[in-house]
Amino acid sequence: MFLAIKIVLVQSERLRQARDFHGVLQNRVAFSGSFLRLHVKPNHYDFARLGLIVAKRIEHKAVRRNRIKRIVREVFRLNRQKIVGLDCVMQLRNSVDISKDCLCLHQEALMLLTRAERYLKKYAPITD
């Protein structure tokens, strides 16, 4: 029974519907790195939500796309308490060589979430 409750909580922290993605992408608050771009929008929940965009035209192999998503989700999971109240969409900008740039991708995702945390502290109370 505990496992079922945990799965529901994890699924509620993901953006899944197109209108949710569209709302975040239209907000025009974005932070960019060399591999990733993070779009953020304040929400009215007591948790952060994540959506991922990893396009086939940028990363052709499904194995690599899934690995990138796992890396970004793990960074988000470890840092989601810092960005409570934000909807985040992480978008892949450039192709990543997972065998070489795995650590760089992890650090860049962490850096972008840190920027989102600073944004939340500075601007989110004003926009509500």
Side-chain angles (χ1 to χ4, degrees), residues 21 36 51-62 64-70 72-73 89-94 96:
F21 276 88
L36 299 169
L52 296 169
I53 300 173
V54 182
K56 277 185 186 179
R57 66 181 172 85
I58 295 175
E59 196 58 67
H60 304 293
K61 301 265 184 187
R64 291 181 184 172
R65 288 194 307 270
N66 292 334
R67 176 80 171 144
I68 290 166
K69 288 189 245 183
R70 282 194 301 271
V72 172
R73 279 191 201 116
V89 173
M90 193 83 68
Q91 182 178 16
L92 185 68
R93 295 178 63 203
N94 297 317
V96 178

Side-chain angles (χ1 to χ4, degrees), residues 8-69:
V8 171
L9 290 175
V10 171
Q11 287 181 351
S12 68
E13 294 175 356
R14 290 189 184 177
L15 295 175
R16 294 189 182 271
Q17 297 183 353
R19 62 184 156 112
D20 294 334
F21 276 88
H22 185 70
V24 175
L25 294 174
Q26 291 298 314
N27 193 36
R28 296 196 183 266
V29 177
F31 309 102
S32 295
S34 57
F35 297 119
L36 299 169
R37 178 177 292 134
L38 175 66
H39 300 269
V40 295
K41 177 184 176 187
N43 66 27
H44 299 289
Y45 301 116
D46 58 347
F47 54 88
R49 300 189 300 171
L50 176 68
L52 296 169
I53 300 173
V54 182
K56 277 185 186 179
R57 66 181 172 85
I58 295 175
E59 196 58 67
H60 304 293
K61 301 265 184 187
V63 173
R64 291 181 184 172
R65 288 194 307 270
N66 292 334
R67 176 80 171 144
I68 290 166
K69 288 189 245 183

